[in-house]
Amino acid sequence: MTQPWMKNRLVQWVDYRLPMFSFMEKELIDYPTPRNLSYWWNFGSLAGIVLVIMIVTGIVLAMHYTPHVDYAFDSVERIMRDVNYGWLIRYIHTNGGSAFFIIVYIHIFRGLYYGSYKSPREILWILGVIILLCMMATAFMGYVLPWGQMSFWGATVITNLFSAVPIVGDIIVTWLWGGFTVDNPTLNRFYSLHYLMPFVIVGVVALHMISLHQHGSNNPLGIDAKGPQDKIPFHPYYTVKDMFGLCAFLTIFAGFVFFAPNFFGEPENYIPADPLVTPPHIVPEWYFLPYYAILRSITFDIWFLSAKLIGVVLMFGSILILFLVPWLDRSPVRSARYRPIYKQLFWVLVIDCLVLGWVGGNPPEGIFVVIGQIATLYYFAHFLVLLPLLSFIETPRPLPTSIAEPVLGGSGGPPAAAEQPMEKAQ
């Protein structure tokens, strides 16, 4: 349906020469969407909004930041104390990073639960994992910029991991540092890349959206829309839903910014970086803790492979394995609603990731080492063993004939009382 503003002569004149208004009408307003999307589908748009917030606040902070080891810490303090509303901009930026990861992690687990990685959406999923990798690189480099104790030692520990790579490891570390220790060249290149990477993320997000609109959104039932009765226009039905989700998010986000701005931070980072004083317990930001636990889970050498090298391989492998999920899970049924065994294993995976995060935040000693090893073993077994095995041993429940059938109260859909908490958000 043509929107009233499309009849404006100026809009028509511009659109005839640059069809951006027609594109917006087609892809943002009239875009046909499954009629049964729940609030778990809000997190994609929320991630995009938070990305914009991070870019805008980052540009403002860059205007006042000095990327030099002698002045970086003081420039951050100046932003907090002397720049008009600098404290607010910085707190929005730092808490926005945590919010971005929370939203993206929920978005990924939603995709795992409802099988959004299955054909024909494999490239959509792969682009999402690439976005996650870019986010991690951006966040790590941004964590170094305040040049506090945890910034300095976190950069030292993480970059030193590459020294475990045979033959070229030390060369890679020297290249990352720009010298023979974490110093001014390191801070300068991290600052440059931290500024650049969000725009790379924007480009990958654009490809992600193009891929999404090629075959449309998945839905809680995990079945394809079969006709007009299964679809509704994106606007106003889902724009209203997204606005409600955005208001709820901004309310919670404002609570952290104004009342608990350092909830996700480390007190050690309010101490200027000192290469001669090592913090008692070096930990990365909370969103890296599961990978940090995997890194430290291997405490023994295997043949000619050192424990450090195995830990590094497993840490990176825990992320790269997500690229293979569309081919590891061969079940023809997408949604966990109709896969009773997979549904249970999904929640075990969620708990396992939370346990890894808890272990990563504690010293690598005593019982934490054992728990970390068990949790790491299950993480890889879930993807490499259980997912392929379920394709052969699991008997899915019958699927409804269309999206409209259970939505409109017909038979074929699962009873409401049997739904898990994730599905109650519909």
Side-chain angles (χ1 to χ4, degrees):
M1 184 179 69
T2 303
Q3 301 299 314
W5 48 268
M6 285 295 291
K7 299 178 181 179
N8 182 280
R9 289 187 177 183
L10 177 60
V11 170
Q12 291 178 343
W13 185 89
V14 173
D15 196 64
Y16 182 74
R17 291 154 179 82
L18 180 65
M20 58 180 182
F21 296 107
S22 298
F23 175 81
M24 292 169 56
E25 183 179 36
K26 178 184 176 183
E27 302 296 339
L28 301 179
I29 297 176
D30 296 335
Y31 173 63
T33 313
R35 66 189 303 163
N36 62 335
L37 298 189
S38 67
Y39 280 109
W40 293 108
W41 267 257
N42 279 39
F43 289 91
S45 61
L46 276 179
I49 293 170
V50 174
L51 176 59
V52 173
I53 292 174
M54 294 296 290
I55 290 174
V56 172
T57 54
I59 290 173
V60 176
L61 291 173
M63 297 175 185
H64 302 278
Y65 177 76
T66 306
H68 191 284
V69 292
D70 293 334
Y71 310 112
F73 186 86
D74 291 336
S75 71
V76 173
E77 290 303 306
R78 178 181 174 274
I79 290 172
M80 296 291 292
R81 300 168 187 270
D82 298 335
V83 176
N84 288 337
Y85 297 103
W87 62 271
L88 177 60
I89 297 170
R90 185 183 176 224
Y91 281 153
I92 290 175
H93 194 74
T94 54
N95 286 280
S98 292
F100 201 8
F101 273 94
I102 291 172
I103 290 169
V104 169
Y105 281 153
I106 293 174
H107 193 55
I108 289 173
F109 277 108
R110 189 269 295 166
L112 288 171
Y113 188 86
Y114 291 115
S116 299
Y117 50 83
K118 289 181 177 289
S119 177
R121 298 178 178 86
E122 298 94 335
I123 292 182
L124 174 67
W125 174 262
I126 289 172
L127 289 169
V129 178
I130 292 174
I131 292 171
L132 176 63
L133 287 172
C134 292
M135 286 173 56
M136 289 178 171
T138 307
F140 167 66
M141 290 181 288
Y143 190 53
V144 176
L145 300 187
W147 208 242
Q149 273 288 72
M150 204 58 72
S151 296
F152 175 83
W153 287 101
T156 302
V157 170
I158 297 303
T159 52
N160 254 314
L161 295 177
F162 291 94
S163 65
V165 179
I167 302 175
V168 297
D170 291 335
I171 298 174
I172 294 174
V173 173
T174 303
W175 176 78
L176 287 172
W177 287 348
F180 300 101
T181 185
V182 175
D183 207 342
N184 202 57
T186 316
L187 182 62
N188 270 278
R189 59 187 58 194
F190 278 22
Y191 172 66
S192 300
L193 291 173
H194 181 69
Y195 195 95
L196 170 67
M197 286 302 295
F199 300 100
V200 175
I201 294 175
V202 169
V204 182
V205 167
L207 295 176
H208 189 66
M209 294 302 298
I210 293 171
S211 180
L212 172 67
H213 282 227
Q214 177 66 22
H215 292 286
S217 299
N218 188 30
N219 61 86
L221 299 179
I223 60 177
D224 294 326
K226 294 180 170 61
Q229 74 277 7
D230 288 346
K231 298 180 180 180
I232 53 177
F234 186 81
H235 177 78
Y237 300 102
Y238 289 116
T239 49
V240 170
K241 210 166 191 175
D242 284 345
M243 288 301 297
F244 177 81
L246 176 61
C247 291
F249 162 74
L250 290 178
T251 301
I252 298 172
F253 183 64
F256 279 99
V257 169
F258 290 106
F259 299 105
N262 295 303
F263 180 83
F264 296 104
E266 287 289 336
E268 293 279 355
N269 227 27
Y270 281 91
I271 302 173
D274 187 348
L276 302 180
V277 179
T278 306
H281 182 38
I282 301 173
V283 293
E285 285 279 56
W286 69 266
Y287 35 77
F288 292 138
L289 290 178
Y291 313 107
Y292 194 51
I294 293 174
L295 169 70
R296 302 182 310 179
S297 65
I298 304 300
T299 56
F300 47 85
D301 297 342
I302 300 178
W303 294 310
F304 58 90
L305 301 176
S306 67
K308 183 178 180 181
L309 176 59
I310 299 172
V312 171
V313 171
L314 289 180
M315 182 185 70
F316 286 107
S318 65
I319 307 169
L320 299 179
I321 200 173
L322 296 176
F323 284 106
L324 303 178
V325 170
W327 294 275
L328 293 172
D329 183 4
R330 305 301 299 171
S331 173
V333 177
R334 293 180 188 146
S335 177
R337 285 188 173 194
Y338 303 97
R339 302 180 61 188
I341 302 178
Y342 176 81
K343 179 189 293 186
Q344 297 177 25
L345 293 180
F346 168 84
W347 290 112
V348 174
L349 176 66
V350 172
I351 295 171
D352 184 69
C353 292
L354 293 175
V355 169
L356 283 171
W358 172 65
V359 170
N362 287 280
E365 56 190 27
I367 191 64
F368 295 114
V369 175
V370 178
I371 295 175
Q373 291 171 342
I374 295 172
T376 298
L377 178 62
Y378 178 81
Y379 181 88
F380 285 97
H382 178 90
F383 291 107
L384 296 177
V385 179
L386 298 178
L387 277 189
L389 188 61
L390 284 183
S391 305
F392 299 99
I393 67 173
E394 185 179 46
T395 302
R397 295 166 54 194
L399 296 173
T401 57
S402 69
I403 292 175
E405 184 179 317
V407 169
L408 299 180
S411 61
E419 294 302 317
Q420 291 290 336
M422 178 169 278
E423 293 138 2
K424 290 180 180 178
Q426 289 193 103

